[in-house]
Amino acid sequence: MTESHKAPPAAGPNNPTSKPILACTIGAVGLLTAMAASLAMGLKHLSAIELPGCGPGSGCDEVAKSVWATIPLINWPVAHLGLAYFTAAAVAWLAGAGRLPALLRNIVRLGMLGSVTFTIVMLVEQHVCKWCLATHIGNLLFWLSVESTRRLKVDLAKPAVIAAAVFVLITGGAAVEEYRHQAARQESDERSLDESVEAIISATTQETAAPAIIDEPNAPTTTTAATTPSPISNPFTGRWRLGPEKAAIRMVVLSDYQCKDCKRIEADIMRVFESRNDMSVSAKHFPMSTDCNKHFSRNMHPNACWAARAAEAAGILRGNDGFWEMHKWLFEHGGGFTRAELRAALTGFGYDVPQFESLMQGQETLARIESDIEEGNALGLHYTPMVFINGVEFKGVFAPNAIQRGVERIAAANPPVAGPGNDHPVLALEKYVADWRDQPARNIPPETEPWFMGDADASVTVELWGDFQEPYTAQADAIVRQFVADHGNVQYAFRHFPFDRDCNTALKVETRHPLACEAARAAEAAGRLGGSAAYWKMHVWLMEHQDSFSLAAA
């Protein structure tokens, strides 16, 4: 065989032919990773799916609410941009067999600069989004692959045109879905606003027909042996109030100083309040921080408890004016501050700094915050801000200009001037039922291996979805089991819905009961080992020993 007819050498570690193939493969993997993560975040934004680790208050959720989640001026979601960019890059990369012309290589470098910027912002703001990191890691792999290959020395028209066409196509599709999403969201917000306003006006009408209540805020609440004191303050108001004690529009707001939505709604409330003379506003705290809120298993807003305690300390030292002065400063600073920043602010306000810090760190401020938290929990709070007007939850706060529009419509109904003693918000159980009724109907899948209590031939089956660590579930379960025991034509099936993200990926709120998954597994394990009788024995024990449950106890 002559020299000119020798077969080409096989690709291998010592053959440069293998390098472009490897780079092309790594680049493709990086792009697919970035595309998948961008698509997932885009679908999450469109409310089409729920992503693990992206519940309310998570790093993913905080990033999605930040200014970095959209492109300035056009308010276009970065997730949509990422999907279009990475898809277009993938098409061009594969069309060029792992090589790009100079123009597209420079665009890739700009894209990598964007990834570096977003990653730095996440680390600085301490809101780490795992799905965002997956996108940036995929982009990093792609960029390294591009830099490790030579540029394509051909006419760039074809790959550039293909990439541009794909980018426009994906962006156009995303724009259609974004329009639909925004329209549906606005419709939902408007519906919530209308329903809230009508409920408030209806409650006001009933209030007008009933005898007026004379408020005595400092009078003790009387109870009898047969009545359990309500967990809700009576009169229903915060410790600190702007406006008159008796007003036609009485607003109570439960918020968190590190909550971005709270800051925005607070600004809307203050703007409306300053333009009216028939309105009062009072504040309660619900920090989403494990430092003072036992209903959260993760420290979603690390400084929120200290911010609330600072506001209470200011109120204790300087009364109503001191509280609202600090309240305003805390929202302006997003609830976050260093010790040096707080001391500088206290000096500017004229406080004795050591005295203020001692009070802020003491038990009195903590007790006040915990009292508000328990009240919020009893009201069924699962997001902040939670706003009440005249004792009725105002659910439409996220509709455009909702506070002003809602207040004007309520005021137009001429509600009577009254005090907070007239306001009686519903408790969590009633709220949950009302929220459930507001949801669209869903088909419930059949239980694959149900455990039934009662007559197998019963004409009525009661199915209860619940959590072995949830007090309201235990109460409802006891009622149903007693009803089944008293009636022969009813059977009972319990369905698991632990408020624990360890096993419940459908959970849209933060984990409330860290042992809920373990309790559900304990019940199922008992049933698998000992049959229906063993399951129900464990079931009853779990419901009656919520406070003392552990794997060792089970």
Side-chain angles (χ1 to χ4, degrees):
M1 183 180 292
T2 63
E3 185 68 24
S4 60
H5 292 87
K6 286 184 178 180
N14 298 318
N15 182 0
T17 307
S18 64
K19 184 176 180 180
I21 296 175
L22 179 61
C24 182
T25 303
I26 293 175
V29 170
L31 284 169
L32 288 174
T33 300
M35 286 168 57
S38 296
L39 176 62
M41 289 187 293
L43 292 173
K44 170 69 169 64
H45 167 76
L46 296 172
S47 302
I49 62 172
E50 290 295 328
L51 291 181
C54 284
S58 65
C60 177
D61 184 54
E62 293 296 328
V63 170
K65 291 178 180 178
S66 73
V67 296
W68 299 94
T70 55
I71 301 171
L73 300 180
I74 63 174
N75 200 35
W76 184 246
V78 172
H80 295 343
L81 174 65
L83 177 62
Y85 167 73
F86 292 121
T87 305
V91 171
W93 183 247
L94 295 176
R99 291 188 293 169
L100 297 176
L103 175 62
L104 296 186
R105 289 167 70 92
N106 288 331
I107 291 176
V108 170
R109 289 163 183 153
L110 287 175
M112 189 61 224
L113 180 61
S115 279
V116 170
T117 302
F118 278 110
T119 302
I120 291 174
V121 169
M122 280 195 299
L123 295 176
V124 169
E125 295 190 352
Q126 298 182 351
H127 296 313
V128 178
C129 167
K130 296 177 182 178
W131 293 89
C132 303
L133 284 178
T135 302
H136 302 317
I137 290 171
N139 196 26
L140 173 64
L141 292 175
F142 175 52
W143 170 73
L144 290 173
S145 299
V146 170
E147 296 297 343
S148 69
T149 59
R150 292 175 295 177
R151 70 182 180 87
L152 189 61
K153 294 182 180 180
V154 296
D155 182 12
L156 59 79
K158 184 176 180 181
V161 169
I162 292 174
V166 171
F167 184 89
V168 170
L169 181 63
I170 297 297
T171 300
V176 171
E177 292 305 316
E178 183 69 18
Y179 173 79
R180 291 176 179 173
H181 169 67
Q182 293 298 337
R185 182 173 181 178
Q186 184 171 349
E187 181 183 355
S188 175
D189 289 342
E190 289 295 332
R191 185 169 57 252
S192 293
L193 174 61
D194 291 341
E195 291 173 354
S196 294
V197 168
E198 291 303 318
I200 294 166
I201 292 174
S202 175
T204 298
T205 303
Q206 296 174 11
E207 177 182 293
T208 305
I213 297 175
I214 301 176
D215 295 311
E216 297 182 28
N218 298 319
T221 304
T222 58
T223 60
T224 65
T227 357
T228 303
S230 171
I232 309 303
S233 60
N234 185 21
F236 181 59
T237 185
R239 285 175 292 277
W240 315 107
R241 182 179 61 246
L242 292 173
E245 178 184 352
K246 294 185 177 182
I249 309 292
R250 303 173 297 281
M251 188 174 292
V252 179
V253 186
L254 287 86
S255 59
D256 174 326
Y257 288 114
Q258 287 196 287
C259 158
K260 291 182 174 62
D261 285 335
C262 297
K263 180 178 181 179
R264 178 170 62 85
I265 299 301
E266 174 74 11
D268 292 346
I269 291 172
M270 290 299 107
R271 185 170 58 252
V272 173
F273 170 77
E274 289 167 2
S275 68
R276 307 189 66 89
N277 59 9
D278 60 348
M279 178 178 174
S280 67
V281 179
S282 65
K284 290 179 180 287
H285 306 287
F286 197 88
M288 293 186 178
S289 169
T290 53
D291 290 344
C292 61
N293 193 334
K294 68 180 183 181
H295 301 290
F296 284 82
S297 59
R298 189 169 59 82
N299 210 1
M300 294 162 59
H301 296 155
N303 202 60
C305 290
W306 287 114
R309 293 175 75 170
E312 287 299 318
I316 292 170
L317 290 173
R318 293 189 176 175
N320 201 59
D321 291 343
F323 171 84
W324 289 104
E325 178 183 55
M326 182 59 70
H327 178 88
K328 180 181 178 181
W329 183 86
L330 288 165
F331 267 128
E332 287 174 347
H333 290 77
F337 51 81
T338 63
R339 189 173 186 181
E341 289 170 338
L342 179 61
R343 285 183 167 184
L346 294 175
T347 301
F349 290 145
Y351 284 101
D352 179 324
V353 175
Q355 179 192 26
F356 188 99
E357 289 184 334
S358 176
L359 181 60
M360 183 180 75
Q361 296 167 12
Q363 285 299 310
E364 183 175 0
T365 58
L366 178 60
R368 291 181 175 209
I369 306 305
E370 290 177 337
S371 174
D372 283 355
I373 289 169
E374 291 310 306
E375 187 164 5
N377 188 60
L379 289 167
L381 186 153
H382 56 83
Y383 66 87
T384 53
M386 191 178 193
V387 179
F388 291 86
I389 297 180
N390 296 358
V392 179
E393 185 182 1
F394 186 71
K395 298 180 182 180
V397 290
F398 298 115
N401 203 24
I403 299 297
Q404 180 174 343
R405 293 162 57 205
V407 167
E408 287 176 352
R409 287 171 57 184
I410 295 166
N414 296 316
V417 174
N422 289 67
D423 302 335
H424 307 287
V426 301
L427 296 181
L429 188 57
E430 187 175 344
K431 169 184 163 53
Y432 294 155
V433 172
D435 289 347
W436 167 71
R437 285 174 175 161
D438 290 341
Q439 298 299 313
R442 297 181 181 180
N443 293 323
I444 299 176
E447 178 65 84
T448 54
E449 297 184 40
W451 303 105
F452 288 113
M453 170 185 285
D455 185 359
D457 298 322
S459 59
V460 176
T461 299
V462 177
E463 290 193 19
L464 173 66
W465 293 70
D467 178 331
F468 281 111
Q469 290 283 286
E470 169 58 52
Y472 291 118
T473 297
Q475 294 174 21
D477 176 77
I479 293 171
V480 175
R481 284 190 285 108
Q482 185 60 51
F483 186 86
V484 171
D486 294 341
H487 298 77
N489 197 31
V490 180
Q491 66 175 352
Y492 172 35
F494 182 79
R495 304 285 292 270
H496 300 290
F497 196 89
F499 270 66
D500 182 353
R501 286 186 174 272
D502 282 351
C503 63
N504 189 349
T505 57
L507 190 62
K508 295 184 178 181
V509 298
E510 184 64 19
T511 291
R512 292 289 183 90
H513 305 130
L515 291 175
C517 289
E518 298 298 342
R521 291 188 182 107
E524 288 298 320
R528 294 296 182 270
L529 293 173
S532 181
Y535 167 82
W536 284 104
K537 184 176 181 180
M538 177 62 75
H539 175 106
V540 173
W541 184 89
L542 288 166
M543 291 296 185
E544 295 178 350
H545 294 82
Q546 290 183 334
D547 294 337
S548 59
F549 169 74
S550 66
L551 287 180

